[in-house]
Amino acid sequence: MKVEARIFDLVMGFSFLMAVVYGFWTWGAAPHGLEPVGTVALALTGGLALISGTYFRFVARRIEVRPEDNSDAEVSDGAGELGFFSPGSYWPVGLAAAAATAGVALAFWHVWLLVIAVVLLLVAVGGLVFEYHTGPNHD
């Protein structure tokens, strides 16, 4: 996770630096002074990268060192099971369709379709999350 934290730190530093450069550049070039939209967008991009990098840094402290974080690691150190991935789930297809419907609803600003898409998104996310949930064991 340290690698990911460094990547987001670089994005954060670049975004904040470009926000300052962009602010000074537009201050001198624009007839009405500072152009606020680009400056704020770059500053918010840096803030989002700061939040993500901080999260990865905190997670890196709590988990054991991964092969990606070890400079002396071999390729074989990363071998083994990485997690459980459902091979025959149809929920991701439904989730993609619901997200596409929400995107179309936002693009054409059909509020009725947006409400339907949000409900479909919630159902699809719930189905995906609880697909293998069997409930408490009452033996």
Side-chain angles (χ1 to χ4, degrees):
M1 291 293 196
K2 292 179 183 178
V3 173
E4 291 88 348
R6 287 187 197 126
I7 290 171
F8 278 103
D9 288 343
L10 289 172
V11 171
M12 176 206 51
F14 179 78
S15 297
F16 283 147
L17 178 68
M18 287 299 110
V20 172
V21 169
Y22 185 81
F24 280 123
W25 195 349
T26 59
W27 182 266
H32 301 293
L34 176 69
E35 192 276 317
V37 176
T39 308
V40 170
L42 286 167
L44 289 176
T45 301
L48 184 62
L50 174 67
I51 291 170
S52 300
T54 303
Y55 170 76
F56 283 129
R57 207 170 298 104
F58 281 131
V59 169
R61 289 184 199 166
R62 292 188 174 95
I63 63 173
E64 61 187 48
V65 177
R66 302 178 308 159
E68 293 89 354
D69 296 328
N70 185 3
S71 61
D72 297 328
E74 297 291 328
V75 174
S76 61
D77 292 340
E81 187 175 325
L82 297 177
F84 174 73
F85 302 98
S86 178
S89 177
Y90 290 107
W91 285 111
V93 176
L95 186 61
T101 304
V104 168
L106 282 172
F108 292 108
W109 196 243
H110 292 300
V111 177
W112 62 272
L113 186 59
L114 185 61
V115 170
I116 292 171
V118 167
V119 170
L120 289 174
L121 274 169
L122 291 175
V123 168
V125 167
L128 185 65
V129 168
F130 294 112
E131 182 172 12
Y132 292 101
H133 181 70
T134 58
N137 203 357
H138 297 293
D139 289 337

